[in-house]
Amino acid sequence: MKKIQVWLAAVLLAVGMALVAPVPASAEPYCGLVWGSLAKADPPLSQARVTNVRTGQHYCFDRLVVDLTGAVAGYNVRYVPQVTQDGSGFAVPLRGQAFLQLTVNSPAYDDNGNSTYNPADRNELSNVTGYQTFRQAAWAGSFEGYTNLGLGVRARLPFRVFVLEGPDAGTRLVVDVAHFW
């Protein structure tokens, strides 16, 4: 009888330990995202023209889209201590705890110097109120064939950059910033 009690106590102790044992942390990335926060670049220049900037919210990330008249040939997107204006080097004030500088290797003006994209409010390219990650999207200028934008985000979070074809003969430069690591 004593052996059965000892055996039963051992089984109950093992089951109890299994119930309170810590579960190993999940190695799965947030939403399956495997992006990093290092600079992403593609150096060529383009004759395409910037025509619009817009933003959107998704389940796992916030998105910024730059519309162009032709093929996106190059870009440079990176975290910086502060975003600066083209030509002058003046700081672009942004809300947020981290700042992405987006350089599109395409102008926002035509061959005659006429703007192809002229935002109504250079400090607020899109209303990002209520976004989980974005805090502000601002214009930093277009100078000597390069167009710069500033993106204020709540923290230095992973991001990705890619190009989508269309509409028509145009393309879209897309920057997605994750909500979490």
Side-chain angles (χ1 to χ4, degrees):
M1 186 71 177
K2 191 86 160 156
K3 280 185 172 181
I4 293 175
Q5 289 176 342
V6 170
W7 182 81
L8 185 58
V11 169
L12 289 175
L13 182 62
V15 169
M17 291 297 288
L19 292 176
V20 296
V23 177
S26 172
E28 291 295 314
Y30 170 73
C31 281
L33 306 177
V34 292
W35 315 333
S37 64
L38 297 178
K40 287 136 181 85
D42 190 6
L45 284 171
S46 172
Q47 294 303 310
R49 310 289 190 234
V50 174
T51 60
N52 194 26
V53 176
R54 52 201 165 89
T55 60
Q57 297 180 71
H58 295 265
Y59 180 73
C60 298
F61 54 86
D62 290 344
R63 172 171 284 177
L64 181 133
V65 177
V66 180
D67 294 319
L68 293 107
T69 58
V72 173
Y75 56 84
N76 188 327
V77 182
R78 67 196 182 285
Y79 280 103
V80 294
Q82 70 181 38
V83 173
T84 57
Q85 293 178 0
D86 283 340
S88 71
F90 293 133
V92 176
L94 290 169
R95 292 184 299 278
Q97 298 300 311
F99 312 109
L100 279 168
Q101 179 138 2
L102 290 70
T103 301
V104 184
N105 299 357
S106 297
Y109 50 83
D110 63 20
D111 293 334
N112 297 319
N114 300 314
S115 291
T116 57
Y117 175 63
N118 192 11
D121 183 350
R122 292 174 177 256
N123 295 319
E124 301 289 338
L125 299 181
S126 180
N127 183 359
V128 295
T129 303
Y131 280 50
Q132 194 161 348
T133 297
F134 290 175
R135 296 297 179 255
Q136 183 180 2
W139 182 252
S142 188
F143 185 71
E144 294 184 348
Y146 296 90
T147 298
N148 276 295
L149 308 168
L151 187 58
V153 296
R154 74 177 166 76
R156 184 178 174 132
L157 294 162
F159 68 96
R160 69 177 173 177
V161 181
F162 61 98
V163 175
L164 292 173
E165 298 297 321
D168 303 321
T171 55
R172 295 163 281 162
L173 178 66
V174 179
V175 179
D176 292 337
V177 182
H179 292 161
F180 300 103
W181 271 100

